[in-house]
Amino acid sequence: MNTWKSKRLNRWKKTRRKGRSYYVLKTTLIAAGSVLFGKTVGFILFDKVSTWLEFWFDFGLSTLVLLALGVGLGFVTWSASESWYRREINKQERST
């Protein structure tokens, strides 16, 4: 097996030990936090029309939507990574 694949398998093995809930929470916070940070910086630097009241309303709404999407994305990526991991483990077991 090539080293890239074995590194990826080992990394996913460590991620699996931490659990699906941890993974979903982590991916949700990273994705939502990145977008919200970019939205805030963009507002501060470039938006000269909206007020802070409008920004906070939009920020709150965006937070709710991004958290919901992040949880969904986290579960989908967990499932895809888990199915890949199981396929690779099954291949290894058949070849040995």
Side-chain angles (χ1 to χ4, degrees), residues 24-36 59-75:
V24 170
L25 179 66
K26 182 176 122 181
T27 56
T28 299
L29 292 178
I30 289 171
S34 299
V35 172
L36 292 172
F59 188 86
L61 190 60
S62 296
T63 301
L64 293 175
V65 170
L66 287 169
L67 289 177
L69 289 174
V71 168
L73 177 68
F75 279 115

Side-chain angles (χ1 to χ4, degrees), residues 23-61:
Y23 177 81
V24 170
L25 179 66
K26 182 176 122 181
T27 56
T28 299
L29 292 178
I30 289 171
S34 299
V35 172
L36 292 172
F37 177 74
K39 184 181 198 73
T40 304
V41 170
F43 176 79
I44 292 169
L45 294 177
F46 303 114
D47 195 344
K48 304 299 181 207
V49 178
S50 301
T51 64
W52 278 101
L53 182 64
E54 293 169 328
F55 170 77
W56 287 116
F57 176 76
D58 187 44
F59 188 86
L61 190 60

Side-chain angles (χ1 to χ4, degrees), residues 68-87:
L69 289 174
V71 168
L73 177 68
F75 279 115
V76 168
T77 57
W78 172 273
S79 297
S81 297
E82 187 65 19
S83 66
W84 172 82
Y85 176 79
R86 288 184 183 171
R87 261 193 326 272

